[in-house]
Amino acid sequence: MSELKIWERLIVGPLIVGFVVIFAVNLAKAEPFGLGNLVVDFNLDSAPTKLPKYENAPVDFWGSGDFRTKDGTTPPKLERMTFEIDRFGELDTRGIPTCTQADLEATTVAQARRKCSRAIVGTGTGAAIVEFPEQAPLPAHSPLTFFNGPPIGGDPSLVLHAYLTVPVPTTYLMPLRIERIRNGVYGFRVASKLPPIAGGYGSITHFDFGFDRRWMYKGEKLSYVNARCETGRMQARFTVEFSDDTKIAGTFVDRCQAR
C-alpha cells in the first residue's frame, strides 16, 4: 500500500450556465456539491502513482458516483454518461475471451459470472430507487459485472451486466464501446445511454466500479488497464445528463511520478 495515494479533495472552479454545471477537480475526489435540489458526489482513483515515463505499466482504476436530493425525494433519472480518459494508457485484452449480450440474456449475477467467468475484467455495485405512482419508493441493488466484449468498430468493448429483482426479476445489459479518440490529452471515450430502470420508474442513486484484472498469457503477466507518466499528471473527465435537463461536466487531474 505504500505507493497508493489517496487523491485530495478540491473543487477549483464551478461554473453554472443555465442547467449546466461545469467544474474542475484537482486530483480525484470532489466534495459533494449541489445544483438546486440535486447533490452529486463523484470519485475517480488509480494506483500506483509512480509509473514509467515512456512505457506502460499495470494500474488499478476505480471510481464511484452518488446522487441524492437535499429534501430526500427521489433524484432525477440519470440518462447518459460519458467518460474521456488520458491518452497515456492502453487496455490489454490478449488472452481474455469475449462475452456477448446474447451469452448473458436473462441471467442472474451468479449465472452470468459463472457462464463468462474468464471474460470478467471489472466489478462494482449499483443502487436505485424505484418509485411507482402512489406507492412508497422501493430500494433496488445489484452487483455490477464488466465483461470483455467483442470489438465495436475496431475498438475494444465491455458488456455491463446488472440484475434487479424490483419490481420483477430483470437482467440489464449495456454495451460500452471504448472508443479510441484524439482529443488533446484524451485518448479514450466511453459513452453510454442508460436503459430505463423498472419501466422508467427507477432512478440511479449510486454506482461504483473497479478494474484490476491480472492474468498470465504465454508466460507473460498482463493487466487489463495500463498507463505511463509522460507529463507528470493523469487526467480524465466526465459528463452526466439527467431527465430534468441537468447536465454536469467535471475534470479530474492527478499528479504522477515518473520512475
Side-chain angles (χ1 to χ4, degrees):
M1 298 291 288
S2 61
E3 290 191 350
L4 267 162
K5 185 177 75 162
I6 304 302
W7 292 5
E8 300 169 2
R9 302 183 176 191
L10 177 63
I11 297 179
V12 295
L15 172 64
I16 302 178
V17 181
F19 287 104
V20 181
V21 173
I22 301 173
F23 65 91
V25 179
N26 183 14
L27 309 182
K29 176 67 180 177
E31 293 286 355
F33 69 95
L35 173 62
N37 195 38
L38 179 65
V39 179
V40 176
D41 188 7
F42 257 95
N43 173 48
L44 288 178
D45 219 336
S46 67
T49 56
K50 291 183 179 180
L51 295 166
K53 187 170 184 177
Y54 296 118
E55 60 184 32
N56 292 314
V59 296
D60 297 340
F61 179 67
W62 63 94
S64 65
D66 289 280
F67 314 97
R68 59 184 174 84
T69 58
K70 295 176 182 177
D71 62 7
T73 57
T74 302
K77 296 172 182 63
L78 179 60
E79 294 188 335
R80 296 178 183 271
M81 294 184 66
T82 302
F83 282 92
E84 292 188 347
I85 303 168
D86 203 302
R87 64 188 174 93
F88 296 118
E90 67 172 2
L91 297 181
D92 196 339
T93 60
R94 289 175 293 166
I96 302 181
T98 60
C99 189
T100 67
Q101 292 186 77
D103 295 327
L104 299 171
E105 289 288 349
T107 57
T108 65
V109 174
Q111 290 170 340
R113 291 182 174 182
R114 183 169 57 249
K115 189 171 186 179
C116 290
S117 60
R118 295 180 58 240
I120 297 173
V121 294
T123 57
T125 57
I129 294 292
V130 178
E131 188 172 20
F132 294 108
E134 301 181 2
Q135 293 187 26
L138 299 172
H141 305 270
S142 175
L144 304 179
T145 313
F146 297 85
F147 296 93
N148 182 43
I152 298 176
D155 293 319
S157 81
L158 297 166
V159 179
L160 172 58
H161 176 282
Y163 181 79
L164 296 178
T165 59
V166 177
V168 295
T170 306
T171 300
Y172 293 87
L173 300 173
M174 186 164 60
L176 299 171
R177 178 180 179 178
I178 307 170
E179 183 183 5
R180 296 180 177 91
I181 62 173
R182 293 183 178 180
N183 188 12
V185 71
Y186 303 107
F188 300 92
R189 178 188 293 126
V190 182
S192 58
K193 181 179 180 181
L194 281 71
I197 298 172
Y201 291 101
S203 296
I204 293 174
T205 56
H206 170 84
F207 69 85
D208 60 69
F209 60 86
F211 295 94
D212 58 1
R213 175 71 187 272
R214 305 280 197 278
W215 70 100
M216 296 296 298
Y217 180 67
K218 295 184 177 180
E220 184 180 359
K221 187 175 182 179
L222 302 180
S223 170
Y224 181 68
V225 183
N226 304 271
R228 60 191 182 275
C229 183
E230 280 196 24
T231 62
R233 67 181 188 176
M234 300 174 66
Q235 196 162 312
R237 66 182 177 185
F238 69 88
T239 303
V240 289
E241 300 176 50
F242 297 85
S243 57
D244 65 352
D245 293 327
T246 299
K247 182 176 181 180
I248 299 170
T251 299
F252 293 95
V253 180
D254 180 56
R255 300 296 177 185
C256 60
Q257 286 183 280
R259 68 177 192 224

